[in-house]
Amino acid sequence: QVQLVESGGGLAQPGGSLRLSCAASRSGPSFVAMDWYRQAPGKQREMVASINSSGRTTYADSVKGRFTISRDNAKNTVYLQMSSLKAEDTAVYYCHAVSIQPPSDYWGQGTQVIVSS
């Protein structure tokens, strides 16, 4: 069973930066897409950023220009560089990946990001 393991969450000040990482626990399927979602208290989970196997990226409007998603296909790892953090970025961030062979999707356990002074 492939597991996604996230790291890099924590506490940051407004205007600060954090970098999240998400790696597959072992060699497994190639992921056609790897994404970051987040869920703030009392809110629905929302997609933050996505990157496909060709490197095409998509961002939520709320993070455009501040967050950058990237991936290392050889390592089945995805990163989220978060800059100019705001209090409203506080949430649990989840890694998500989609494979075609086999057709499945996977979720990480989540990593907490708190932006506060």
Side-chain angles (χ1 to χ4, degrees):
Q1 180 70 18
V2 174
Q3 291 184 326
L4 301 178
V5 180
E6 299 132 333
S7 60
L11 176 65
Q13 292 188 338
S17 299
L18 284 174
R19 187 186 192 222
L20 306 183
S21 299
C22 171
S25 59
R26 61 175 179 82
S27 296
S30 294
F31 298 124
V32 296
M34 300 187 80
D35 325 294
W36 287 97
Y37 283 72
R38 68 185 180 187
Q39 187 166 18
K43 295 189 177 181
Q44 289 189 330
R45 189 173 298 189
E46 61 175 355
M47 195 275 288
V48 175
S50 179
I51 185 168
N52 67 12
S53 56
S54 299
R56 176 182 287 185
T57 58
T58 304
Y59 295 94
D61 288 343
S62 58
V63 306
K64 281 181 181 177
R66 301 189 299 119
F67 290 10
T68 302
I69 189 170
S70 60
R71 65 186 285 178
D72 184 331
N73 290 332
K75 297 180 179 179
N76 260 352
T77 299
V78 64
Y79 307 95
L80 185 69
Q81 178 66 49
M82 305 185 294
S83 302
S84 301
L85 284 164
K86 304 176 181 179
E88 50 263 44
D89 295 319
T90 295
V92 178
Y93 284 70
Y94 296 91
C95 177
H96 174 252
V98 178
S99 66
I100 293 179
Q101 293 290 345
S104 187
D105 71 327
Y106 310 87
W107 288 93
Q109 80 285 357
T111 185
Q112 178 75 58
V113 171
I114 298 174
V115 183
S116 175
S117 55

